[in-house]
Amino acid sequence: MQDLVKIILKSGKDQSAKRFHPWVFSGAVKKMHGQPAEGDLVAVYSNQDELLGIGHYQQSSIAVRIISFHEATIDRDFWYGKISNAIAYRRTTGLLSDESTNAYRLIHAEGDEMPGLIVDFYNGILVMQMHSIGMYQNRELFAGIFKELLGDAITTIYVKSSSTLPAAFRDTAEDTFLLGNQQSVEVQEYGHHFAIDVVEGQKTGFFIDQRDNRKLLAQYARDKKVLNMFGYTGAFSIYALHAGAREVYTVDSSQKAIELTDKNIALNFNSDVNHHGVVADAFKYLQELPDDFDLIILDPPAFAKHHNVLPNALQGYKRLNQRALEKIKSGGLLFTFSCSQVVSKENFRKSVFAAAANTGRSVKILHEMSQPVDHPVNIYHPESEYLKGLVVYVV
Ligand code: SAH
């Protein structure tokens, strides 16, 4: 094993690592034999001197993100193995051979035992987004491994971490191309077409994680009047229109998002499609909404990024859902989501419950929704299940 700074945990604080949870909180650290630099590999030990894992050190509330729970040399072969495993997993799911889809996630951080690293693939463009400095420092190494494993299937590699790394590193971590320089591309998702701009777009360029929920929506959209609230690229709207929706409204507070929606509508349909793009605030728009919508989608940005704002976030979900539940037509369907990692499935369901109770309407749960297979949930890290949603039927 390499010569690494040793970090000893307080007694009793080793349980989480023993159960393979990859986060070591700074409060669990008893002492460090030396001072690791930000992003350095460190070895984590229990107070009884048992090796718990090896991970990336960072001066933050999560002090170490464990990448191996066993003795290991962390070199190119180690990362090659991890990335190969992640690709093999996706091959097993059938995703990589589905000809109707060429946008997917190849590395889902803790879900792929690579905490701090997100890698998305958009029809030839690979976008790497790092959330830890340790992962960021390996960007060239990862780019080389992906190139070796995927060959000509990738023409561009873009590193987009300036807004996701800890604040102290953002200025130095300029977003850059490590291979090629293609900024935009058209992708297909279950045969639907989308224009992606990896530089200008939100996150890595697209919300790939809603793929299966959009497909589910299509099952219910025929002949419906649909409101797609927080629409961004208009992806839910495009599925609804393909599935025969009567009329679709896409609403987003960002002008750029609605422009992107219009572009995507034009990619998929001819000019007589019954779609309206609206730039508006969700809460205001819902307040004035007519009561003849058959299907409403609520896919807001994360209301809580931290535990300390959880109560406010839950109130936010309640208020938002209440407005939609008040307005939706009798016999209508609501697709409602939360992508906040700190909001549990139970808490989200309780918020929708409280919203429903305030309206006094009859509300039934048809489906519980989650994230697709390329966003795997690590069983030891329940936080990797961040996307949750409900389809409810309202009378
Ligand atoms: N449903 C989308 C993803 C939504 S991301 C998809 O399938 O791809 C969240 C979107 O909410 C962003 O585009 C953001 O501009 C928008 N947004 C944020 N706050 C808003 C508000 N108060 N009212 C309306 N839209 C808002």
Side-chain angles (χ1 to χ4, degrees):
M1 204 166 90
Q2 292 129 310
D3 193 17
L4 308 176
V5 169
K6 200 168 165 178
I7 291 189
I8 316 289
L9 301 191
K10 294 173 186 162
S11 68
K13 293 287 185 187
D14 49 16
Q15 284 309 307
S16 155
K18 281 185 173 164
R19 281 191 242 111
F20 309 113
H21 193 290
W23 295 348
V24 176
F25 288 98
S26 57
V29 174
K30 181 178 171 193
K31 66 176 173 206
M32 300 200 283
H33 293 296
Q35 178 57 55
E38 296 267 25
D40 273 2
L41 289 168
V42 292
V44 181
Y45 283 81
S46 71
N47 204 25
Q48 286 74 42
D49 210 32
E50 308 149 282
L51 176 72
L52 299 172
I54 300 168
H56 287 134
Y57 174 76
Q58 197 162 294
Q59 279 183 24
S60 62
S61 71
I62 302 175
V64 185
R65 289 173 165 83
I66 297 179
I67 52 173
S68 174
F69 290 93
H70 315 283
E71 224 170 87
T73 301
I74 313 300
D75 54 9
R76 191 179 193 276
D77 285 351
F78 172 85
W79 292 115
Y80 187 95
K82 286 231 174 205
I83 293 173
S84 307
N85 285 344
I87 293 173
Y89 162 76
R90 283 156 181 81
R91 284 199 207 288
T92 303
T93 66
L95 192 58
L96 303 197
S97 46
D98 176 347
E99 286 183 1
S100 70
T101 300
N102 55 20
Y104 32 79
R105 179 154 290 186
L106 285 175
I107 308 287
H108 183 54
E110 288 84 356
D112 284 297
E113 288 97 35
M114 279 180 265
L117 180 65
I118 296 288
V119 181
D120 288 342
F121 174 85
Y122 297 111
N123 189 16
I125 304 183
L126 205 68
V127 185
M128 300 203 279
Q129 188 154 71
M130 282 82 171
H131 293 254
S132 76
I133 192 67
M135 283 299 189
Y136 181 71
Q137 286 167 344
N138 284 304
R139 60 197 179 281
E140 300 271 0
L141 178 72
F142 295 156
I145 294 172
F146 275 110
K147 193 64 199 148
E148 188 177 332
L149 286 168
L150 299 174
D152 292 343
I154 44 174
T155 53
T156 292
I157 300 180
Y158 184 57
V159 182
K160 191 179 187 183
S161 304
S162 62
S163 62
T164 54
L165 285 172
F169 298 96
R170 288 185 192 172
D171 291 345
T172 48
E174 214 180 309
D175 298 336
T176 46
F177 289 96
L178 296 182
L179 175 76
N181 60 4
Q182 196 185 338
Q183 176 175 343
S184 54
V185 67
E186 190 184 313
V187 300
Q188 276 199 78
E189 186 187 87
Y190 291 135
H192 305 73
H193 300 269
F194 298 102
I196 309 287
D197 185 321
V198 295
V199 177
E200 296 295 326
Q202 296 181 33
K203 308 262 175 171
T204 63
F206 193 60
F207 287 80
I208 311 174
D209 54 358
Q210 290 286 23
R211 184 195 306 118
D212 289 345
N213 301 327
R214 293 178 187 129
K215 194 176 180 189
L216 180 68
L217 173 98
Q219 290 178 25
Y220 292 99
R222 187 164 196 81
D223 296 328
K224 301 274 166 55
K225 180 173 177 182
V226 177
L227 171 62
N228 178 10
M229 183 55 81
F230 307 97
Y232 182 34
T233 56
F236 277 106
S237 305
I238 284 157
Y239 276 68
L241 287 164
H242 266 299
R246 187 171 84 239
E247 189 175 9
V248 177
Y249 288 73
T250 305
V251 180
D252 199 290
S253 57
S254 150
Q255 170 84 39
K256 260 186 163 176
I258 295 303
E259 282 166 14
L260 184 55
T261 295
D262 288 340
K263 187 171 175 181
N264 285 328
I265 292 281
L267 269 183
N268 288 273
F269 308 101
N270 54 29
S271 54
D272 61 359
V273 68
N274 201 351
H275 176 263
H276 315 267
V278 184
V279 179
D281 171 72
F283 287 88
K284 284 199 194 122
Y285 193 84
L286 284 170
Q287 204 153 26
E288 284 147 29
L289 194 77
D291 57 8
D292 62 345
F293 278 88
D294 306 290
L295 203 163
I296 298 179
I297 301 136
L298 296 176
D299 183 23
F303 283 172
K305 296 219 160 112
H306 260 276
H307 273 290
N308 50 10
V309 291
L310 183 61
N312 286 348
L314 296 178
Q315 274 301 319
Y317 287 118
K318 191 186 98 183
R319 274 179 45 227
L320 181 68
N321 281 281
Q322 187 174 328
R323 292 216 172 150
L325 288 167
E326 275 163 1
K327 294 294 171 73
I328 202 163
K329 199 168 144 184
S330 180
L333 291 170
L334 173 67
F335 280 65
T336 181
F337 298 96
S338 162
C339 60
S340 305
Q341 197 179 62
V342 299
V343 173
S344 66
K345 222 194 244 182
E346 293 69 33
N347 273 337
F348 179 61
R349 196 167 163 147
K350 278 186 201 155
S351 302
V352 180
F353 163 86
N358 281 353
T359 67
R361 298 182 74 171
S362 150
V363 175
K364 299 184 208 324
I365 299 175
L366 267 84
H367 298 279
E368 289 194 55
M369 296 176 285
S370 180
Q371 57 213 58
V373 289
D374 51 338
H375 294 60
V377 178
N378 175 348
I379 202 160
Y380 304 115
H381 178 260
E383 297 89 341
S384 45
E385 187 173 8
Y386 68 100
L387 181 62
K388 54 243 133 215
L390 295 172
V391 183
V392 299
Y393 179 82
V394 187
V395 182

